[in-house]
Amino acid sequence: MSDNDEIFWNLVDEFIQRANERCDDADPSMVSAALLQAAARFNAFTVAGASVDRKEFTEEIEPSLRYLTNQYRDLLRDNLEDYRENYKVYMRSDEDE
């Protein structure tokens, strides 16, 4: 695993850990919605920050939307498939022990 891969997966784990902690005092669907909003806001910031000016940013809106929504769809599909294959492992309740 490269340094970048390790940094990436550590970040993913940190975000998931924080989301799981927030589920102690907020409904998981609200945590999920907040994560989506945060990702959308941060991605807009990233696209804007990579643009040299407002004109370039405006030109990048549609390609960025396509790229980011396709990425999300693919990642979500992969994770849903993973949960389908491992449902009994991931969703095991304390009653199963």
Side-chain angles (χ1 to χ4, degrees), residues 5 14 18-19 28-29 33 35 44 58 60-61 64 80 94 96:
D5 286 343
E14 287 176 35
R18 179 71 172 138
S29 63
L35 278 170
T58 301
E60 287 300 314
I61 289 175
S64 296
L80 289 170
D94 291 338
D96 293 337

Side-chain angles (χ1 to χ4, degrees), residues 52-67:
V52 295
D53 57 21
R54 187 173 189 268
K55 181 179 183 298
E56 181 179 271
F57 171 70
T58 301
E59 293 169 353
E60 287 300 314
I61 289 175
E62 286 305 316
S64 296
L65 277 169
R66 279 191 302 276
Y67 172 77

Side-chain angles (χ1 to χ4, degrees), residues 5-6 18 25 33 51-52 56 60 76 79 82 86 89:
D5 286 343
E6 186 172 347
R18 179 71 172 138
D25 60 349
S51 304
V52 295
E56 181 179 271
E60 287 300 314
L76 181 58
N79 281 279
D82 183 39
N86 297 288
V89 174

